[in-house]
Structures are given as C-alpha cells and as structure tokens.
Amino acid sequence: MDSIKILQEWIDSSDNIVFFGGAGVSTESGIPDFRSVDGLYHQEYDYPPETMLSRTFYERKPEEFYRFYRNKMLYLDAVPNEAHKKLAQLEQAGRLRAVITQNIDGLHQKAGSREVLELHGSVLRNYCSRCGRFYPVEAITESRGVPHCECGGKIKPDVVLYEEGLDQKILSKAVRYIEKADILIIGGTSLVVYPAAGLIDYYRGGKLVLINKAPTGMDYKADLLVQGSIGEIMSQIQVHGGR
C-alpha cells in the first residue's frame, strides 16, 4: 500500500491529530526560507540573516534591523496553499486538534484554522516595548526607520528573535497536545531548530508521520515517511466527517 493511502486510512480513523509544521509549509506560498542563503543577502546586507534577526542586533542597530525586516520578513500578499487549506478542513471536520507552527506569517489562520500555536510569534502582531500597547502590521509597513509608539517607545514585532526564549505557555500547550495525540504529522521542517525540534520527543503514539521534500535526521523515528511537497501530498487527502 502506498504512503498516501496509509496516511488517508490513519486520518480517517482518528479524531485526535496534531500537525507540527516548519518553513516548508510557507515556502509553497511563495515565502522564502530566510536561512537559504542567496546572493541577494550578500549584495544588500553586511550581516547574515541570523545575525540581523538577533536580539542584540535589534538593540544595537535598530535602523538596519527594520530595513531587513521590512524587506525580507513581511510577505503580506501571500495566500494559503493546499496544506494550509486541508489542515483547516481537517480541524473543521473534528479530526485535527491543533496546528503547531514555527512560521510567523499567519497563513494557517487565514486558511481558517482556529487552534494555531505560533512558537515563534507572528509578524501580524507588534507591541510597544515601553507601554505594551499592541499594533497591527501596518505600524511597521507604513512607517520608516524605527517605528515608535505614541509614548515614545520602540514598536517591536511580536516574533521570537535569536537569543530570545520561546513563550513557555505556548510551548507547554504544544507539548500537551503532542503527548495526547493519536497521530502526529510533521511537515515542511528539517527538524534541526531547537527547542522546537525537540517537541517530537514528547509524542507517545505509534503513528508519527514525517512529510518533507528532503530527508531529515529524524526519519528513523517515523512510522510513515512521505517524501515530497507538503501541499501536493495534503491535496490528495480526502476530508471526511468525524467518527
């Protein structure tokens, strides 16, 4: 039996599925993975992306941080792909309990998913680092240089920068979902970024599905390996009502 048929059977038999996704889910909506080094970074910026997206860089060189952030991290015209849409349908059908994502683009919510745990925050939310007031993404896109609140404080994107810790409440909630899941589907991630990649260790079930274009260092843990585009694979799944 091929892997798609097995995946379909597993999905049809469960109402306790959890999905954990990485950058590969967003790249199919045209959002590049900023870690993939290309000539543009070297031509336009003096530092690697990981440096420019660090807390230290944000504090010391805010002008340069926001120039990079506006140019490279905001893809507000992107639309959900087949993977986003299918996951939302599975949730609406009562089969999927939660989406846990490393992405910061809000596309899962745009597709209709309700229970989305954003491990690294969201570009759509921003807040004043002095008074805490929240701002929409327009506060960044419609300003120049360093955006400031009315109180004078810097407006910071609600995303987790390098050197910053993950939100422990969200992380704990993700662990609870994974621990209780019948099926854990992991898609579009190479499972190398910690602590998020360590979430796989909390899964106790016997139906761990890994969907990725390239092999990962965690393939040996999978009960079902499906190699290919997450959007193409999920588009082949039929959504039937809950059991």
Side-chain angles (χ1 to χ4, degrees):
M1 188 181 291
D2 71 29
S3 55
I4 300 291
K5 283 185 179 176
I6 295 170
L7 180 57
Q8 181 73 63
E9 284 190 2
W10 286 5
I11 287 173
D12 288 345
S13 70
S14 178
D15 59 3
N16 186 7
I17 303 167
V18 171
F19 178 83
F20 173 41
V25 180
S26 291
T27 53
E28 294 186 30
S29 286
I31 298 177
D33 179 356
F34 65 83
R35 279 186 200 82
S36 52
V37 178
D38 60 32
L40 193 62
Y41 289 132
H42 299 298
Q43 292 162 19
E44 202 175 338
Y45 301 99
D46 297 330
Y47 306 90
E50 286 83 354
T51 299
M52 300 186 77
L53 291 172
S54 69
R55 180 73 190 209
T56 299
F57 196 89
Y58 168 79
E59 297 287 359
R60 293 181 182 170
K61 296 181 178 287
E63 292 268 353
E64 190 71 357
F65 169 87
Y66 279 102
R67 186 166 80 91
F68 177 83
Y69 183 81
R70 288 188 183 97
N71 288 347
K72 290 291 180 185
M73 303 304 291
L74 298 177
Y75 290 87
L76 304 180
D77 293 333
V79 296
N81 60 55
E82 288 303 314
H84 296 110
K85 293 173 187 173
K86 194 67 64 160
L87 290 165
Q89 290 168 21
L90 286 168
E91 183 186 36
Q92 287 154 15
R95 298 200 171 279
L96 184 81
R97 294 290 176 90
V99 168
I100 301 164
T101 181
Q102 294 172 282
N103 299 325
I104 57 176
D105 46 53
L107 288 181
H108 283 292
Q109 292 92 328
K110 195 180 275 191
S113 289
R114 293 175 178 272
E115 185 66 359
V116 181
L117 279 61
E118 296 171 311
L119 296 175
H120 296 157
S122 171
V123 298
L124 303 180
R125 297 188 304 269
N126 306 272
Y127 65 92
C128 172
S129 47
R130 180 185 292 175
C131 74
R133 177 179 168 183
F134 268 81
Y135 284 88
V137 69
E138 288 77 18
I140 307 294
T141 58
E142 294 175 7
S143 61
R144 301 185 71 177
V146 181
H148 285 91
C149 174
E150 291 174 6
C151 78
K154 266 194 299 190
I155 297 175
K156 180 184 180 295
D158 190 13
V159 298
V160 179
L161 302 177
Y162 287 94
E163 304 167 350
E164 293 181 334
L166 301 190
D167 183 311
Q168 289 304 305
K169 285 184 180 177
I170 293 174
L171 198 56
S172 296
K173 196 173 182 183
V175 166
R176 288 197 299 274
Y177 270 121
I178 288 172
E179 282 177 333
K180 295 175 182 176
D182 289 341
I183 301 171
L184 176 61
I185 302 174
I186 299 178
T189 173
S190 53
L191 291 169
V192 294
V193 179
Y194 282 81
L199 288 173
I200 192 173
D201 296 329
Y202 291 96
Y203 179 59
R204 298 285 177 260
K207 292 178 178 175
L208 174 60
V209 183
L210 283 186
I211 303 171
N212 206 42
K213 283 183 176 175
T216 77
M218 299 286 189
D219 285 2
Y220 70 96
K221 291 190 175 187
D223 299 295
L224 180 63
L225 270 178
V226 191
Q227 198 160 347
S229 148
I230 181 81
E232 285 177 19
I233 288 157
M234 293 305 291
S235 70
Q236 297 175 61
I237 297 299
Q238 302 299 309
V239 179
H240 306 120
R243 289 189 296 178

